[in-house]
Amino acid sequence: PDLPAKNHIAELVIHLPLTVALVSAYGVTGAALAWTVRISLDAILLAYGAARHGAFFEIPRARPLWVATGALIIVFGVVVGLLHNAPKVSPAATAGFLVTAAVAFGGLGWSKALSGEEKRAWLGLVPAGLRRGPAVSL
């Protein structure tokens, strides 16, 4: 139970200077980016702590997902910086980037991080009618 508190103290050392720098440079967008970095770090630290205590998945199996998460955070940071400084960026281009990144991240998580049992459990949440596909009459 003390793990989240210890993590938050460690995150504070990173989050405060990062927030000041990013808010100064990008305003509210910088605040959102700093918060995203903080909660991503928190998720990684909590998952690692849980794995060390045997309460979560094994770290080697989930390593591709953690690498992808880190890469996605870096890519989002770079893209936010580029979009913030771009003269005109269409909302469709921004939405396209976000959808593409989410689909790629979801696909990687599905294929590399989830076991067969976990995949079956997730598929079990989908209504049976949707799993079979639409009925086609010939």
Side-chain angles (χ1 to χ4, degrees):
D2 64 332
L3 187 60
K6 290 176 182 176
N7 289 348
H8 289 156
I9 291 170
E11 292 162 14
L12 188 63
V13 174
I14 297 168
H15 181 63
L16 281 178
L18 184 64
T19 300
V20 170
L22 290 175
V23 168
S24 297
Y26 301 110
V28 71
T29 304
L33 183 58
W35 187 256
T36 301
V37 169
R38 193 210 66 80
I39 62 170
S40 299
L41 178 60
D42 190 50
I44 291 168
L45 291 173
L46 287 172
Y48 182 77
R52 286 189 49 167
H53 290 88
F56 204 49
F57 49 75
E58 299 159 5
I59 291 174
R61 196 185 77 190
R63 190 169 285 130
L65 187 60
W66 295 120
V67 170
T69 301
L72 193 59
I73 291 168
I74 292 168
V75 169
F76 274 152
V78 169
V79 170
V80 165
L82 293 174
L83 292 179
H84 185 270
N85 295 322
K88 288 186 179 183
V89 177
S90 76
T94 303
F97 166 74
L98 292 174
V99 167
T100 302
V103 168
F105 183 72
L108 180 66
W110 184 265
S111 66
K112 299 291 185 188
L114 296 179
S115 68
E117 181 181 329
E118 291 165 330
K119 290 176 187 175
R120 284 188 293 280
W122 277 106
L123 289 173
L125 297 174
V126 177
L130 292 176
R131 279 185 268 149
R132 286 181 275 221
V136 179
S137 59
L138 298 174

